[in-house]
PDB file of all heavy atoms in Angstrom:
ATOM      1  N   ILE A 920      81.938 -75.129  78.167  1.00 93.00           N
ATOM      2  CA  ILE A 920      83.176 -75.820  77.811  1.00 93.00           C
ATOM      3  C   ILE A 920      83.751 -76.421  79.086  1.00 93.00           C
ATOM      4  O   ILE A 920      83.859 -75.737  80.112  1.00 93.00           O
ATOM      5  CB  ILE A 920      84.206 -74.854  77.184  1.00 93.00           C
ATOM      6  CG1 ILE A 920      83.580 -74.088  76.017  1.00 93.00           C
ATOM      7  CG2 ILE A 920      85.442 -75.641  76.721  1.00 93.00           C
ATOM      8  CD1 ILE A 920      83.127 -74.931  74.860  1.00 93.00           C
ATOM      9  N   LEU A 921      84.122 -77.693  79.029  1.00 90.00           N
ATOM     10  CA  LEU A 921      84.573 -78.412  80.218  1.00 90.00           C
ATOM     11  C   LEU A 921      86.089 -78.474  80.305  1.00 90.00           C
ATOM     12  O   LEU A 921      86.799 -78.373  79.302  1.00 90.00           O
ATOM     13  CB  LEU A 921      84.001 -79.830  80.227  1.00 90.00           C
ATOM     14  CG  LEU A 921      82.475 -79.947  80.180  1.00 90.00           C
ATOM     15  CD1 LEU A 921      82.064 -81.413  80.209  1.00 90.00           C
ATOM     16  CD2 LEU A 921      81.830 -79.187  81.342  1.00 90.00           C
ATOM     17  N   SER A 922      86.576 -78.691  81.499  1.00 84.00           N
ATOM     18  CA  SER A 922      88.010 -78.792  81.766  1.00 84.00           C
ATOM     19  C   SER A 922      88.525 -80.167  81.348  1.00 84.00           C
ATOM     20  O   SER A 922      87.788 -81.002  80.803  1.00 84.00           O
ATOM     21  CB  SER A 922      88.269 -78.564  83.257  1.00 84.00           C
ATOM     22  OG  SER A 922      87.631 -79.588  84.017  1.00 84.00           O
ATOM     23  N   ASN A 923      89.801 -80.431  81.657  1.00 78.00           N
ATOM     24  CA  ASN A 923      90.393 -81.735  81.373  1.00 78.00           C
ATOM     25  C   ASN A 923      89.562 -82.845  82.004  1.00 78.00           C
ATOM     26  O   ASN A 923      89.041 -82.702  83.115  1.00 78.00           O
ATOM     27  CB  ASN A 923      91.822 -81.792  81.919  1.00 78.00           C
ATOM     28  CG  ASN A 923      92.739 -80.834  81.196  1.00 78.00           C
ATOM     29  OD1 ASN A 923      92.509 -80.487  80.043  1.00 78.00           O
ATOM     30  ND2 ASN A 923      93.799 -80.398  81.866  1.00 78.00           N
ATOM     31  N   ASN A 924      89.470 -83.974  81.290  1.00 78.00           N
ATOM     32  CA  ASN A 924      88.692 -85.123  81.744  1.00 78.00           C
ATOM     33  C   ASN A 924      87.218 -84.785  81.954  1.00 78.00           C
ATOM     34  O   ASN A 924      86.533 -85.436  82.750  1.00 78.00           O
ATOM     35  CB  ASN A 924      89.288 -85.713  83.027  1.00 78.00           C
ATOM     36  CG  ASN A 924      90.435 -86.666  82.741  1.00 78.00           C
ATOM     37  OD1 ASN A 924      90.330 -87.553  81.901  1.00 78.00           O
ATOM     38  ND2 ASN A 924      91.549 -86.454  83.415  1.00 78.00           N
ATOM     39  N   ASP A 925      86.741 -83.766  81.235  1.00 82.00           N
ATOM     40  CA  ASP A 925      85.322 -83.375  81.304  1.00 82.00           C
ATOM     41  C   ASP A 925      84.874 -83.161  82.751  1.00 82.00           C
ATOM     42  O   ASP A 925      83.802 -83.603  83.170  1.00 82.00           O
ATOM     43  CB  ASP A 925      84.436 -84.440  80.638  1.00 82.00           C
ATOM     44  CG  ASP A 925      84.688 -84.530  79.138  1.00 82.00           C
ATOM     45  OD1 ASP A 925      85.267 -83.584  78.579  1.00 82.00           O
ATOM     46  OD2 ASP A 925      84.308 -85.550  78.533  1.00 82.00           O
ATOM     47  N   GLY A 926      85.727 -82.457  83.510  1.00 81.00           N
ATOM     48  CA  GLY A 926      85.454 -82.292  84.936  1.00 81.00           C
ATOM     49  C   GLY A 926      84.466 -81.194  85.268  1.00 81.00           C
ATOM     50  O   GLY A 926      83.366 -81.456  85.762  1.00 81.00           O
ATOM     51  N   CYS A 927      84.835 -79.943  85.015  1.00 87.00           N
ATOM     52  CA  CYS A 927      83.983 -78.822  85.412  1.00 87.00           C
ATOM     53  C   CYS A 927      84.012 -77.738  84.338  1.00 87.00           C
ATOM     54  O   CYS A 927      84.814 -77.788  83.398  1.00 87.00           O
ATOM     55  CB  CYS A 927      84.439 -78.250  86.752  1.00 87.00           C
ATOM     56  SG  CYS A 927      86.157 -77.677  86.762  1.00 87.00           S
ATOM     57  N   ILE A 928      83.150 -76.742  84.495  1.00 90.00           N
ATOM     58  CA  ILE A 928      83.012 -75.686  83.491  1.00 90.00           C
ATOM     59  C   ILE A 928      84.191 -74.712  83.575  1.00 90.00           C
ATOM     60  O   ILE A 928      84.512 -74.190  84.640  1.00 90.00           O
ATOM     61  CB  ILE A 928      81.697 -74.911  83.700  1.00 90.00           C
ATOM     62  CG1 ILE A 928      80.502 -75.841  83.521  1.00 90.00           C
ATOM     63  CG2 ILE A 928      81.595 -73.740  82.727  1.00 90.00           C
ATOM     64  CD1 ILE A 928      79.173 -75.184  83.843  1.00 90.00           C
ATOM     65  N   VAL A 929      84.840 -74.462  82.424  1.00 90.00           N
ATOM     66  CA  VAL A 929      85.935 -73.495  82.370  1.00 90.00           C
ATOM     67  C   VAL A 929      85.613 -72.316  81.456  1.00 90.00           C
ATOM     68  O   VAL A 929      86.347 -71.323  81.451  1.00 90.00           O
ATOM     69  CB  VAL A 929      87.253 -74.163  81.913  1.00 90.00           C
ATOM     70  CG1 VAL A 929      87.736 -75.171  82.934  1.00 90.00           C
ATOM     71  CG2 VAL A 929      87.101 -74.812  80.541  1.00 90.00           C
ATOM     72  N   ALA A 930      84.551 -72.412  80.679  1.00 92.00           N
ATOM     73  CA  ALA A 930      84.153 -71.302  79.805  1.00 92.00           C
ATOM     74  C   ALA A 930      82.655 -71.377  79.560  1.00 92.00           C
ATOM     75  O   ALA A 930      82.075 -72.478  79.468  1.00 92.00           O
ATOM     76  CB  ALA A 930      84.914 -71.352  78.472  1.00 92.00           C
ATOM     77  N   ARG A 931      82.010 -70.189  79.452  1.00 93.00           N
ATOM     78  CA  ARG A 931      80.554 -70.130  79.298  1.00 93.00           C
ATOM     79  C   ARG A 931      80.176 -69.120  78.224  1.00 93.00           C
ATOM     80  O   ARG A 931      80.843 -68.097  78.058  1.00 93.00           O
ATOM     81  CB  ARG A 931      79.897 -69.688  80.612  1.00 93.00           C
ATOM     82  CG  ARG A 931      80.202 -70.538  81.809  1.00 93.00           C
ATOM     83  CD  ARG A 931      79.752 -69.839  83.093  1.00 93.00           C
ATOM     84  NE  ARG A 931      80.506 -68.612  83.329  1.00 93.00           N
ATOM     85  CZ  ARG A 931      80.161 -67.673  84.202  1.00 93.00           C
ATOM     86  NH1 ARG A 931      79.040 -67.805  84.896  1.00 93.00           N
ATOM     87  NH2 ARG A 931      80.900 -66.594  84.361  1.00 93.00           N
ATOM     88  N   SER A 932      79.107 -69.392  77.527  1.00 94.00           N
ATOM     89  CA  SER A 932      78.530 -68.412  76.613  1.00 94.00           C
ATOM     90  C   SER A 932      77.707 -67.419  77.426  1.00 94.00           C
ATOM     91  O   SER A 932      77.369 -67.671  78.594  1.00 94.00           O
ATOM     92  CB  SER A 932      77.642 -69.098  75.577  1.00 94.00           C
ATOM     93  OG  SER A 932      76.494 -69.664  76.200  1.00 94.00           O
ATOM     94  N   ASN A 933      77.376 -66.293  76.818  1.00 93.00           N
ATOM     95  CA  ASN A 933      76.533 -65.312  77.513  1.00 93.00           C
ATOM     96  C   ASN A 933      75.182 -65.911  77.901  1.00 93.00           C
ATOM     97  O   ASN A 933      74.618 -65.578  78.948  1.00 93.00           O
ATOM     98  CB  ASN A 933      76.325 -64.081  76.629  1.00 93.00           C
ATOM     99  CG  ASN A 933      77.581 -63.234  76.509  1.00 93.00           C
ATOM    100  OD1 ASN A 933      78.431 -63.252  77.388  1.00 93.00           O
ATOM    101  ND2 ASN A 933      77.709 -62.501  75.414  1.00 93.00           N
ATOM    102  N   GLU A 934      74.665 -66.783  77.048  1.00 94.00           N
ATOM    103  CA  GLU A 934      73.368 -67.410  77.332  1.00 94.00           C
ATOM    104  C   GLU A 934      73.441 -68.293  78.588  1.00 94.00           C
ATOM    105  O   GLU A 934      72.485 -68.379  79.356  1.00 94.00           O
ATOM    106  CB  GLU A 934      72.907 -68.253  76.137  1.00 94.00           C
ATOM    107  CG  GLU A 934      72.620 -67.451  74.871  1.00 94.00           C
ATOM    108  CD  GLU A 934      73.872 -67.113  74.064  1.00 94.00           C
ATOM    109  OE1 GLU A 934      74.981 -67.567  74.456  1.00 94.00           O
ATOM    110  OE2 GLU A 934      73.746 -66.416  73.054  1.00 94.00           O
ATOM    111  N   LEU A 935      74.603 -68.936  78.778  1.00 92.00           N
ATOM    112  CA  LEU A 935      74.771 -69.778  79.967  1.00 92.00           C
ATOM    113  C   LEU A 935      74.947 -68.915  81.218  1.00 92.00           C
ATOM    114  O   LEU A 935      74.436 -69.247  82.292  1.00 92.00           O
ATOM    115  CB  LEU A 935      75.978 -70.707  79.785  1.00 92.00           C
ATOM    116  CG  LEU A 935      76.183 -71.766  80.872  1.00 92.00           C
ATOM    117  CD1 LEU A 935      74.983 -72.696  80.942  1.00 92.00           C
ATOM    118  CD2 LEU A 935      77.455 -72.566  80.620  1.00 92.00           C
ATOM    119  N   LYS A 936      75.665 -67.799  81.071  1.00 92.00           N
ATOM    120  CA  LYS A 936      75.824 -66.875  82.201  1.00 92.00           C
ATOM    121  C   LYS A 936      74.476 -66.352  82.660  1.00 92.00           C
ATOM    122  O   LYS A 936      74.249 -66.169  83.864  1.00 92.00           O
ATOM    123  CB  LYS A 936      76.735 -65.711  81.799  1.00 92.00           C
ATOM    124  CG  LYS A 936      78.170 -66.111  81.482  1.00 92.00           C
ATOM    125  CD  LYS A 936      78.972 -64.932  80.947  1.00 92.00           C
ATOM    126  CE  LYS A 936      80.368 -65.361  80.513  1.00 92.00           C
ATOM    127  NZ  LYS A 936      81.138 -64.229  79.922  1.00 92.00           N
ATOM    128  N   ALA A 937      73.560 -66.128  81.712  1.00 92.00           N
ATOM    129  CA  ALA A 937      72.226 -65.616  82.052  1.00 92.00           C
ATOM    130  C   ALA A 937      71.421 -66.622  82.871  1.00 92.00           C
ATOM    131  O   ALA A 937      70.480 -66.244  83.571  1.00 92.00           O
ATOM    132  CB  ALA A 937      71.466 -65.253  80.775  1.00 92.00           C
ATOM    133  N   LEU A 938      71.800 -67.899  82.808  1.00 90.00           N
ATOM    134  CA  LEU A 938      71.116 -68.934  83.589  1.00 90.00           C
ATOM    135  C   LEU A 938      71.726 -69.099  84.978  1.00 90.00           C
ATOM    136  O   LEU A 938      71.329 -70.001  85.727  1.00 90.00           O
ATOM    137  CB  LEU A 938      71.173 -70.277  82.847  1.00 90.00           C
ATOM    138  CG  LEU A 938      70.433 -70.349  81.504  1.00 90.00           C
ATOM    139  CD1 LEU A 938      70.705 -71.685  80.821  1.00 90.00           C
ATOM    140  CD2 LEU A 938      68.936 -70.152  81.713  1.00 90.00           C
ATOM    141  N   ASP A 939      72.709 -68.239  85.308  1.00 88.00           N
ATOM    142  CA  ASP A 939      73.385 -68.282  86.615  1.00 88.00           C
ATOM    143  C   ASP A 939      74.104 -69.607  86.856  1.00 88.00           C
ATOM    144  O   ASP A 939      74.162 -70.099  87.988  1.00 88.00           O
ATOM    145  CB  ASP A 939      72.394 -68.015  87.759  1.00 88.00           C
ATOM    146  CG  ASP A 939      71.917 -66.571  87.781  1.00 88.00           C
ATOM    147  OD1 ASP A 939      72.705 -65.688  87.394  1.00 88.00           O
ATOM    148  OD2 ASP A 939      70.764 -66.329  88.188  1.00 88.00           O
ATOM    149  N   VAL A 940      74.632 -70.187  85.796  1.00 87.00           N
ATOM    150  CA  VAL A 940      75.468 -71.377  85.931  1.00 87.00           C
ATOM    151  C   VAL A 940      76.906 -70.900  86.106  1.00 87.00           C
ATOM    152  O   VAL A 940      77.458 -70.228  85.239  1.00 87.00           O
ATOM    153  CB  VAL A 940      75.344 -72.289  84.692  1.00 87.00           C
ATOM    154  CG1 VAL A 940      76.288 -73.481  84.815  1.00 87.00           C
ATOM    155  CG2 VAL A 940      73.908 -72.765  84.535  1.00 87.00           C
ATOM    156  N   ASN A 941      77.499 -71.235  87.236  1.00 87.00           N
ATOM    157  CA  ASN A 941      78.790 -70.672  87.610  1.00 87.00           C
ATOM    158  C   ASN A 941      79.969 -71.432  87.015  1.00 87.00           C
ATOM    159  O   ASN A 941      79.871 -72.624  86.697  1.00 87.00           O
ATOM    160  CB  ASN A 941      78.931 -70.653  89.136  1.00 87.00           C
ATOM    161  CG  ASN A 941      77.910 -69.754  89.796  1.00 87.00           C
ATOM    162  OD1 ASN A 941      77.554 -68.703  89.263  1.00 87.00           O
ATOM    163  ND2 ASN A 941      77.428 -70.159  90.959  1.00 87.00           N
ATOM    164  N   MET A 942      81.086 -70.724  86.901  1.00 88.00           N
ATOM    165  CA  MET A 942      82.346 -71.352  86.504  1.00 88.00           C
ATOM    166  C   MET A 942      82.762 -72.354  87.572  1.00 88.00           C
ATOM    167  O   MET A 942      82.493 -72.179  88.760  1.00 88.00           O
ATOM    168  CB  MET A 942      83.431 -70.288  86.350  1.00 88.00           C
ATOM    169  CG  MET A 942      83.216 -69.360  85.177  1.00 88.00           C
ATOM    170  SD  MET A 942      83.737 -70.094  83.616  1.00 88.00           S
ATOM    171  CE  MET A 942      85.499 -69.830  83.710  1.00 88.00           C
ATOM    172  N   GLY A 943      83.438 -73.414  87.154  1.00 87.00           N
ATOM    173  CA  GLY A 943      83.949 -74.399  88.096  1.00 87.00           C
ATOM    174  C   GLY A 943      82.945 -75.429  88.555  1.00 87.00           C
ATOM    175  O   GLY A 943      83.269 -76.318  89.350  1.00 87.00           O
ATOM    176  N   LEU A 944      81.724 -75.352  88.056  1.00 85.00           N
ATOM    177  CA  LEU A 944      80.682 -76.293  88.462  1.00 85.00           C
ATOM    178  C   LEU A 944      80.960 -77.679  87.876  1.00 85.00           C
ATOM    179  O   LEU A 944      81.179 -77.807  86.674  1.00 85.00           O
ATOM    180  CB  LEU A 944      79.328 -75.790  87.974  1.00 85.00           C
ATOM    181  CG  LEU A 944      78.085 -76.199  88.755  1.00 85.00           C
ATOM    182  CD1 LEU A 944      78.159 -75.721  90.190  1.00 85.00           C
ATOM    183  CD2 LEU A 944      76.844 -75.662  88.073  1.00 85.00           C
ATOM    184  N   PRO A 945      80.988 -78.733  88.688  1.00 87.00           N
ATOM    185  CA  PRO A 945      81.241 -80.079  88.166  1.00 87.00           C
ATOM    186  C   PRO A 945      80.147 -80.506  87.185  1.00 87.00           C
ATOM    187  O   PRO A 945      78.957 -80.326  87.466  1.00 87.00           O
ATOM    188  CB  PRO A 945      81.231 -80.953  89.422  1.00 87.00           C
ATOM    189  CG  PRO A 945      81.519 -80.026  90.545  1.00 87.00           C
ATOM    190  CD  PRO A 945      80.888 -78.724  90.157  1.00 87.00           C
ATOM    191  N   TYR A 946      80.554 -81.081  86.092  1.00 83.00           N
ATOM    192  CA  TYR A 946      79.601 -81.459  85.052  1.00 83.00           C
ATOM    193  C   TYR A 946      78.625 -82.524  85.530  1.00 83.00           C
ATOM    194  O   TYR A 946      77.418 -82.444  85.274  1.00 83.00           O
ATOM    195  CB  TYR A 946      80.366 -81.948  83.815  1.00 83.00           C
ATOM    196  CG  TYR A 946      79.489 -82.560  82.749  1.00 83.00           C
ATOM    197  CD1 TYR A 946      78.491 -81.812  82.133  1.00 83.00           C
ATOM    198  CD2 TYR A 946      79.647 -83.891  82.369  1.00 83.00           C
ATOM    199  CE1 TYR A 946      77.676 -82.366  81.162  1.00 83.00           C
ATOM    200  CE2 TYR A 946      78.838 -84.453  81.397  1.00 83.00           C
ATOM    201  CZ  TYR A 946      77.854 -83.688  80.800  1.00 83.00           C
ATOM    202  OH  TYR A 946      77.044 -84.245  79.837  1.00 83.00           O
ATOM    203  N   PHE A 947      79.113 -83.527  86.254  1.00 81.00           N
ATOM    204  CA  PHE A 947      78.244 -84.656  86.605  1.00 81.00           C
ATOM    205  C   PHE A 947      77.115 -84.241  87.551  1.00 81.00           C
ATOM    206  O   PHE A 947      76.090 -84.919  87.628  1.00 81.00           O
ATOM    207  CB  PHE A 947      79.069 -85.788  87.242  1.00 81.00           C
ATOM    208  CG  PHE A 947      79.551 -85.498  88.640  1.00 81.00           C
ATOM    209  CD1 PHE A 947      78.791 -85.879  89.740  1.00 81.00           C
ATOM    210  CD2 PHE A 947      80.759 -84.862  88.864  1.00 81.00           C
ATOM    211  CE1 PHE A 947      79.226 -85.628  91.032  1.00 81.00           C
ATOM    212  CE2 PHE A 947      81.201 -84.596  90.149  1.00 81.00           C
ATOM    213  CZ  PHE A 947      80.434 -84.983  91.238  1.00 81.00           C
ATOM    214  N   LYS A 948      77.293 -83.119  88.264  1.00 79.00           N
ATOM    215  CA  LYS A 948      76.246 -82.661  89.178  1.00 79.00           C
ATOM    216  C   LYS A 948      75.149 -81.870  88.469  1.00 79.00           C
ATOM    217  O   LYS A 948      74.100 -81.598  89.065  1.00 79.00           O
ATOM    218  CB  LYS A 948      76.855 -81.786  90.280  1.00 79.00           C
ATOM    219  CG  LYS A 948      77.722 -82.538  91.278  1.00 79.00           C
ATOM    220  CD  LYS A 948      78.176 -81.611  92.388  1.00 79.00           C
ATOM    221  CE  LYS A 948      78.985 -82.368  93.432  1.00 79.00           C
ATOM    222  NZ  LYS A 948      79.419 -81.467  94.547  1.00 79.00           N
TER     223      LYS A 948
END
């Protein structure tokens, strides 16, 4: 789930956490 203006990650499913994708990561990167 992305922040305002589709900026960065503000919420993750357990499946995404298992991939070591961190909170706050910019979407475009």
